[in-house]
Amino acid sequence: APAMLITLCYLYLWARWGPRSAALVRSTVRRLHRSRCSFTFCARQPHPEERVCLRIGGKVFCTGEAQFLDDLNRWRGLLVSPSPPPEELLPAEHIAFVTESTAAHTEELQRAPDSAKEIVKWSDFCSPLAYKPGEPFQLIAEASVDNFSSLGIAFLEDRLQMEDGMVPHRIVSVHLEKSALKELAKEAPAGEKSAEMDAVTPAGKSGLERAEEDKSKLGEGREHDGTGGGEHHHLHLSSCHECLQLENSTIESVKFASAENIPELPEDCSSSREEKEEENLQKGVQRINLAGKPPNILIYLGSEAAQGRLEQVKSVLRECIDAESYTLYQLHQEGVLREPWVENSLLLLIATEEPIPEGIHRQFMKFLSRGGKILGLSSSFTFGGVQIKPRNKLRRVVHELVVWKKDSSEVKLNLLVSGCVFEEGLKGDGSRVKVLSRLNNAAKDAVMVHLTHGSSGGEAILAQAHLELDSNSMEVQTEEDFNLLKMSNSRRYEVLREVLTCLGLSCEQRAVPELTPIYLLSPDEEIHLAFLKWLEGNVDAEGLRASSKVSLKFVSSWESKVEVTSSLVPVITETGSFSSEHFSLQTYQQHLQTKKLGKILLFTEVTTTTMNLLDG
């Protein structure tokens, strides 16, 4: 089991800021910025195809389909010649975006910003690339993921300040095509900066000069340690570069000290080791397929709202796949066109006989073209030259069928069939369609086919037999059918695992590891003793720190033999005997660059979820 390390510093930061709007924005952008979706901060009603993530007053933060910007003929560049190559204009892991603003009206000028709010200057958090005069005035800029989030947060909280008193009305991320970047580089003014450029960038510096300056400033961030003149400084992680640097330092230290990567921690650490860590993670964890998609399995049931049907499909999947490696979600019909699921899912399971609407069918095909996998269980979904032909005599009938496995062996079993078969006269590219199963009847009707699509590894297995239903299904009509399905149950699971494996999923069943105690660790003996003294007044006489989900029982050593359960976890305070192949306290200490934060940490090798440890 992967090692779990939780610093009290990180717990505090998450608990304090996790529920807040700033944390929601940062988390959403961090998780989705690599996918082809757009982020919009605006003061208008969102479009129907946009998904609202956050609403503050009259402003919203939403996600939607990617916005492509490939024609910059009407834009004026803000780069100075000689400009860098186009590929260097937008650094890796940076976001390009358009800011729309208008001249401030009288009422807006009179509405002075709250002095208690920290003003964020637009030009301090990004590097301008081009502008388009007019109403609204538009600016293209690029920024790091976190700086982009900071601009959006400041916009939502009315803390964003533009140049020359302009009032921002909309910020939207865009995908800049290579041709557009080349156009920007080509149109760079030779040798001198225009008046417009001086108005856009502070001190007349070019966007690239600003970027370099920002990087050096970030590198020089000092640490808030909560002391100085007796004044208490609150952590203001939503907008402070210095606090972010502290958090990153602690996370970097954790990454160094842990033998394995820790997926729960934010991927906001700028490090040259990032690519190597990602490569090691992909080797060690089977959750990511060759296309690099997250381990999400989506279940589409059409307009069906019956919770029982969803649980039925989820239950059979959990019996087959490695449950520790995948996350199951329902994809609602209204969310197919609105939610950014195409780039963030590994498998789509379609389990409805309803006709697939044209727009939704296009989205499913888009998923396939980008390397997605689809499993159809008695659904009407099909593509290419494969046609579905109704056979009413077979509807809701238990029938014997033959399945050919990857090793060319065959499995015979009885399943409830849908009443449809796949048309034999396959049109189009027949070489890309493979029949996996036929009914054991005179016509040898095809009831399971494998199809590929596109050049990115997209594939689908479509079945007109109910692999998800067993003998207890309400569809079973007779005692004979009940017995036939019961006799075939083990082979049904065998076939379903074969199908899922063919689609790239791991079906190896791993034993759930036993829970382990938590160790209270500190590289600083003085801080460790001070923390133990603080604990004395914050636990009961039995050393218990009670909570609604997980209570912590502080004990001096493991000799106490306190049982570890999902609701009660012992915390060992004497760490002289601590050792782990997954974590080195010495390495952690060497890479920790803070004075106070991260000096107290909790370490456990196996726990149910870190989320419950935060409760209370």
Side-chain angles (χ1 to χ4, degrees), residues 463-504:
Q464 290 301 326
H466 288 282
L467 286 165
E468 79 280 13
L469 299 181
D470 61 14
S471 57
N472 296 313
S473 169
M474 297 293 290
E475 306 290 340
V476 179
Q477 303 293 326
T478 67
E479 185 177 351
E480 181 184 1
D481 286 348
F482 175 87
N483 292 329
L484 287 172
L485 290 175
K486 191 172 182 180
M487 294 279 290
S488 293
N489 201 46
S490 61
R491 279 167 285 170
R492 178 174 67 92
Y493 278 108
E494 179 186 350
V495 170
L496 192 49
R497 290 191 184 99
E498 173 79 9
V499 166
L500 292 168
T501 302
C502 285
L503 292 173

Side-chain angles (χ1 to χ4, degrees), residues 384-386 423-435 449-452:
V386 177
E423 188 71 65
E424 272 303 307
L426 301 177
K427 303 174 185 177
D429 185 2
S431 63
R432 305 182 75 182
V433 180
K434 182 180 179 181
V435 176
V449 293
H450 176 270
L451 303 93
T452 58

Side-chain angles (χ1 to χ4, degrees), residues 239-458:
S239 60
C240 178
H241 283 143
E242 298 170 15
C243 283
L244 280 173
Q245 284 295 101
L246 286 177
E247 185 190 19
N248 292 351
S249 171
T250 304
I251 294 168
E252 278 294 292
S253 185
V254 169
K255 285 186 173 182
F256 273 112
S258 177
E260 300 185 31
N261 203 335
I262 302 177
E264 287 81 6
L265 295 178
E267 298 176 358
D268 60 349
C269 308
S270 56
S271 170
S272 60
R273 295 170 299 276
E274 186 174 348
E275 291 184 5
K276 185 175 179 182
E277 287 174 353
E278 187 173 342
E279 180 183 340
N280 291 337
L281 182 62
Q282 288 183 352
K283 288 179 181 177
V285 186
Q286 295 178 348
R287 294 156 48 127
I288 308 295
N289 74 339
L290 294 176
K293 288 182 176 294
N296 298 330
I297 297 176
L298 302 186
I299 301 169
Y300 176 77
L301 301 175
S303 61
E304 294 182 39
Q307 187 66 22
R309 175 63 172 156
L310 176 63
E311 291 306 316
Q312 184 182 56
V313 177
K314 275 187 173 182
S315 176
V316 72
L317 277 177
R318 291 192 184 106
E319 289 290 326
C320 296
I321 62 174
D322 175 6
E324 297 296 314
S325 295
Y326 303 99
T327 308
L328 307 180
Y329 297 106
Q330 181 177 4
L331 177 61
H332 295 278
Q333 189 174 45
E334 60 273 16
V336 174
L337 301 178
R338 284 196 336 217
E339 298 176 6
W341 63 273
V342 170
E343 295 292 347
N344 298 295
S345 305
L346 177 59
L347 174 73
L348 171 65
L349 191 151
I350 306 173
T352 177
E353 295 181 359
E354 296 176 358
I356 307 293
E358 185 179 345
I360 291 178
H361 189 279
R362 279 199 303 269
Q363 198 74 343
F364 289 170
M365 295 306 298
K366 180 180 177 182
F367 175 61
L368 283 173
S369 66
R370 297 190 179 182
K373 317 289 182 180
I374 288 181
L375 173 58
L377 297 179
S378 299
S379 78
S380 60
F381 174 77
T382 187
F383 62 94
V386 177
Q387 303 292 323
I388 294 177
K389 184 178 180 180
R391 290 283 179 85
N392 293 331
K393 289 184 179 180
L394 296 174
R395 185 163 181 80
R396 298 291 186 265
V397 170
V398 174
H399 206 292
E400 186 180 55
L401 49 102
V402 181
V403 179
W404 290 277
K405 298 175 67 175
K406 207 170 185 178
D407 61 4
S408 299
S409 62
E410 64 178 45
V411 178
K412 289 185 178 181
L413 72 163
N414 287 283
L415 290 177
L416 190 71
V417 292
S418 68
C420 293
V421 297
F422 294 108
E423 188 71 65
E424 272 303 307
L426 301 177
K427 303 174 185 177
D429 185 2
S431 63
R432 305 182 75 182
V433 180
K434 182 180 179 181
V435 176
L436 299 181
S437 176
R438 295 182 185 276
L439 292 179
N440 196 8
N441 60 4
K444 303 297 181 185
D445 294 305
V447 288
M448 190 188 303
V449 293
H450 176 270
L451 303 93
T452 58
H453 179 74
S455 58
S456 299

Side-chain angles (χ1 to χ4, degrees), residues 78-80 84 88-89 91 94 120-129 140-144 147 151 161 163 193 197-219 241:
L78 288 171
L79 302 172
V80 178
E88 293 182 18
L89 290 178
H94 277 221
V120 170
K121 291 186 177 180
W122 183 88
S123 56
D124 286 346
F125 281 76
C126 62
S127 299
L129 299 176
I140 300 176
E142 61 87 8
S144 67
N147 279 2
L151 290 171
Q161 185 180 84
E163 313 302 319
K193 300 178 260 316
M197 183 174 173
D198 285 335
V200 173
T201 57
K205 291 174 181 164
S206 72
L208 291 170
E209 288 172 331
R210 282 289 318 158
E212 290 303 316
E213 185 178 284
D214 287 346
K215 288 178 184 175
S216 64
K217 283 183 179 178
L218 277 173
H241 283 143

